[in-house]
Amino acid sequence: MPTPISPQETRLGWIGTGVMGASMARLLREAGYTVTVYNRTRAKAEPLLAIGAEWADTPRAVAEASDVVFSIVGHPHDVREVLLDETTGVLAGSRAGMIVVDMTSSEPSLAVEAAERFAEKGAVSLDAPVSGGDVGARDGKLSIMVGGDRAAFDALEPLWRVMGAKWVYQGAAGAGQHTKVVNQTLAACTMIGICESLVYAQKAGLDLDTVLESVSSGAAGSWSLSNLGPRIVRGDFAPGFYVEHFIKDLGVALAEAERMGIELPGAALAHRLYREVEKQGGGRKGTQSLVLALAKINGVDWPEND
Amino acid sequence: MPTPISPQETRLGWIGTGVMGASMARLLREAGYTVTVYNRTRAKAEPLLAIGAEWADTPRAVAEASDVVFSIVGHPHDVREVLLDETTGVLAGSRAGMIVVDMTSSEPSLAVEAAERFAEKGAVSLDAPVSGGDVGARDGKLSIMVGGDRAAFDALEPLWRVMGAKWVYQGAAGAGQHTKVVNQTLAACTMIGICESLVYAQKAGLDLDTVLESVSSGAAGSWSLSNLGPRIVRGDFAPGFYVEHFIKDLGVALAEAERMGIELPGAALAHRLYREVEKQGGGRKGTQSLVLALAKINGVDWPEND
């Protein structure tokens, strides 16, 4: 375990500077930490380098320069590569006392494997996926769901505080990822209801804004209905969160459920419908574009005003 | 149209004194209106008679004594009987200028039929289903979704105000019922997500209260998650809204969707799962008991602490 976390004592590493990662790393840099950064596409790291972050050529090199290494990349296979690759991965550059934090939404079983592999070297690996989207990342208002070593979770509080509005220890390695599965299953099923009921309302000839006025604030209400319902009605499919990322997350949920021998019929339905959206070319649209699959199935035209 | 609605000028009729209806009629009586009441089981109307409501032996007799007649009964076939029966129904006792308001969650097509039948007699029939449950009914905080004649909707504002926190004109006859279909479809799909994700969390070995702490306030949040999630975790299946009534409402949604030639896959899934809950003896449990069907499918034990 490193000495108490502080900008003076703790060297941070950051792997993955997509929309989320770039914002999160920026906040840490602005909080005074040294940050060594790696990203598959270097250009996307340039804004961080411009505010004083150091570049490293591999995840391994990031690890060698850092006490705490964060990663937030695309898919579970990317997590496996950046963390566990025997030549270029974080593991290859790790040492006792180091803490690795994977914030990608990824597989719980991979989080368990990573924790075991790092433990063999005396290091600690936490799984810490987030919700809150690009806006939450930019504003440091994420909800961070953490699994793994409790003492490491506690030690990192100054860093959670920079990135999050809420950080909750969920249990042993993988528990953070399991909690993210819960989060995405909730969001997916809620979105099915929003989209199919708006298609119904359209077909029934209702005024959709007036319908939202009746149903948004009561027992049928949700964050998604209040925030994305009006966008669906307007045909605004700009992404808060990409369909293709949601398909990945729901795929993780279904694979994990199958591994545990259980069914998630709502998440399975959402996964099928989102793949339809992707087939229609909507992979980089926002998750509210689920309505386009349901409209098509039902022979209803839906406006698109991207 | 009656003269402006007031306790002095307007005689109200009320048909159906179940949990919701009894509370709503009580508020109107307490607001100073005369109320003539009918219920299939007279005993359930006694508390209203005790505060000065008058009893009538048939819906027809209610109509003959009233300017505005409300009904809130069980199923669409009950609505048909109390409103349209040629001998004992409200229609048989109706006359020009009368307003009939059916607040049962019922079929949009029946609402259209009723509006037409009453129009033949110079009367007006509105469909005005509600959401907000027993607590909303008791406190006069319902959301009332209204279809039918706009002038009648406007004229009844003093009465909506007694029963509702929100009353919205949704369009022509049937539009109130269509909006209620939207409301129930939203609620049902959200509940699928809540229940299947909590079963997943249980199976994954997470602490469910801690999971709720991470997911309730963000993009996965909903009224149902905040209000019913903790009850599900505790195994508290006391009804806010009965499973058997939700099955009826979802049956209306699916029948109407089929009539319109569209699919509601989420509502259909919820309908199947709720029928499983009913088969397990849960028809008079609250809607949160959907978790019991999902737990059973997945071989997970769920606590029951009713």
Side-chain angles (χ1 to χ4, degrees):
Chain A
M1 195 71 48
T3 49
I5 300 290
S6 74
Q8 291 71 41
E9 301 286 341
T10 314
R11 300 168 303 157
L12 305 185
W14 196 277
I15 297 163
T17 56
V19 174
M20 300 287 291
S23 291
M24 295 154 80
R26 168 176 290 270
L27 291 177
L28 291 167
R29 176 72 194 120
E30 290 175 348
Y33 289 89
T34 62
V35 179
T36 302
V37 61
Y38 167 80
N39 191 57
R40 195 166 47 192
T41 309
R42 177 168 169 153
K44 290 190 184 167
E46 290 294 346
L48 285 169
L49 304 181
I51 58 167
E54 297 286 325
W55 175 257
D57 281 326
T58 61
R60 176 183 185 151
V62 171
E64 287 166 349
S66 307
D67 303 304
V68 180
V69 176
F70 293 91
S71 56
I72 181 162
V73 293
H75 291 258
H77 62 83
D78 300 314
V79 174
R80 181 175 292 281
E81 183 181 329
V82 301
L83 292 191
L84 303 181
D85 185 273
E86 295 190 0
T87 310
T88 61
V90 171
L91 187 67
S94 69
R95 64 205 169 280
M98 182 178 191
I99 301 177
V100 181
V101 183
D102 180 38
M103 305 188 85
T104 317
S105 292
S106 171
E107 294 164 356
S109 49
L110 177 55
V112 172
E113 180 184 346
E116 291 169 353
R117 297 287 297 281
F118 280 97
E120 289 164 7
K121 303 196 64 169
V124 168
S125 164
L126 303 178
D127 48 304
V130 301
S131 76
D134 53 345
V135 175
R138 195 187 60 211
D139 298 343
K141 300 291 185 195
L142 295 168
S143 171
I144 310 173
M145 309 159 223
V146 188
D149 184 85
R150 172 85 211 204
F153 168 79
D154 291 338
L156 295 190
E157 170 145 353
L159 304 178
W160 306 135
R161 190 174 295 281
V162 172
M163 295 183 281
K166 177 174 291 204
W167 48 96
V168 180
Y169 180 74
Q170 290 291 349
Q177 295 297 353
H178 280 308
T179 304
K180 184 68 191 277
V181 166
V182 168
N183 191 84
Q184 299 307 69
T185 298
L186 286 165
C189 293
T190 301
M191 192 62 78
I192 292 171
I194 292 170
C195 293
E196 75 177 33
S197 67
L198 286 174
V199 168
Y200 173 96
Q202 175 88 315
K203 186 83 176 183
L206 300 177
D207 180 85
L208 302 189
D209 287 312
T210 309
V211 169
L212 291 182
E213 197 186 335
S214 276
V215 302
S216 290
S217 61
S222 62
W223 185 96
S224 292
L225 185 62
S226 295
N227 288 277
L228 299 176
R231 291 203 212 171
I232 294 169
V233 171
R234 286 198 303 274
D236 171 3
F237 298 114
F241 190 72
Y242 289 137
V243 163
E244 63 188 25
H245 288 168
F246 211 29
I247 290 172
K248 181 258 290 184
D249 289 358
L250 291 171
V252 167
L254 296 174
E256 198 65 23
E258 187 170 348
R259 202 188 58 75
M260 291 170 12
I262 69 171
E263 289 177 49
L264 300 175
L269 172 60
H271 190 249
R272 280 199 300 279
L273 292 168
Y274 275 114
R275 291 185 64 166
E276 285 301 317
V277 177
E278 194 176 44
K279 277 189 206 161
Q280 295 171 31
R284 303 286 275 186
K285 289 192 165 84
T287 54
Q288 70 273 26
S289 60
L290 186 69
V291 76
L292 298 175
L294 284 158
K296 188 174 182 200
I297 288 169
N298 287 313
V300 170
D301 285 328
W302 204 268
E304 289 197 55
N305 300 307
D306 284 347
Chain B
M1 195 70 51
T3 50
I5 301 288
S6 75
Q8 291 73 41
E9 301 287 339
T10 314
R11 299 168 303 156
L12 304 185
W14 196 278
I15 296 164
T17 56
V19 173
M20 300 287 289
S23 291
M24 296 154 80
R26 168 177 290 272
L27 292 176
L28 291 167
R29 177 71 197 121
E30 289 174 350
Y33 289 90
T34 62
V35 180
T36 301
V37 60
Y38 167 80
N39 192 57
R40 194 166 47 192
T41 308
R42 177 167 169 154
K44 290 190 185 168
E46 290 295 348
L48 285 169
L49 304 181
I51 58 168
E54 298 285 324
W55 175 257
D57 282 326
T58 61
R60 174 183 187 153
V62 171
E64 287 166 350
S66 306
D67 304 304
V68 180
V69 176
F70 293 92
S71 56
I72 182 163
V73 293
H75 291 258
H77 62 82
D78 300 314
V79 174
R80 181 175 291 281
E81 183 182 329
V82 302
L83 292 191
L84 302 181
D85 185 90
E86 296 190 359
T87 310
T88 62
V90 171
L91 187 67
S94 69
R95 65 205 168 280
M98 183 178 189
I99 302 179
V100 181
V101 183
D102 181 37
M103 305 187 84
T104 315
S105 292
S106 172
E107 295 164 355
S109 48
L110 177 55
V112 172
E113 180 185 346
E116 291 169 352
R117 297 288 298 280
F118 280 98
E120 289 164 7
K121 302 196 62 170
V124 168
S125 164
L126 302 178
D127 48 303
V130 300
S131 76
D134 53 344
V135 174
R138 196 186 59 212
D139 298 343
K141 300 291 185 196
L142 295 168
S143 171
I144 310 173
M145 309 159 221
V146 188
D149 184 84
R150 172 86 211 204
F153 168 80
D154 291 337
L156 295 190
E157 169 145 354
L159 305 178
W160 306 135
R161 190 175 295 280
V162 172
M163 296 182 281
K166 176 175 292 205
W167 47 98
V168 179
Y169 180 74
Q170 291 291 348
Q177 295 297 352
H178 280 308
T179 305
K180 184 68 192 278
V181 165
V182 168
N183 192 83
Q184 299 305 69
T185 298
L186 287 164
C189 293
T190 302
M191 191 62 77
I192 292 171
I194 293 170
C195 292
E196 75 177 35
S197 67
L198 286 174
V199 167
Y200 173 97
Q202 175 88 314
K203 186 84 176 185
L206 300 178
D207 179 85
L208 301 190
D209 287 312
T210 309
V211 169
L212 291 182
E213 198 184 336
S214 277
V215 301
S216 290
S217 62
S222 61
W223 185 96
S224 291
L225 185 62
S226 295
N227 288 277
L228 299 175
R231 292 203 211 172
I232 294 169
V233 171
R234 286 197 305 274
D236 171 2
F237 298 113
F241 190 71
Y242 289 136
V243 163
E244 63 186 25
H245 288 168
F246 212 29
I247 290 172
K248 181 259 292 185
D249 290 359
L250 292 170
V252 167
L254 296 174
E256 198 65 23
E258 188 170 346
R259 201 186 60 73
M260 289 168 17
I262 68 172
E263 288 177 50
L264 300 174
L269 172 59
H271 191 248
R272 280 200 299 280
L273 292 169
Y274 274 115
R275 290 185 63 166
E276 286 300 317
V277 176
E278 194 176 43
K279 277 189 205 159
Q280 294 172 33
R284 304 285 276 185
K285 289 190 166 83
T287 53
Q288 70 273 27
S289 59
L290 186 70
V291 75
L292 297 175
L294 285 157
K296 189 175 182 200
I297 288 169
N298 288 313
V300 170
D301 285 327
W302 205 270
E304 289 198 55
N305 301 307
D306 285 346

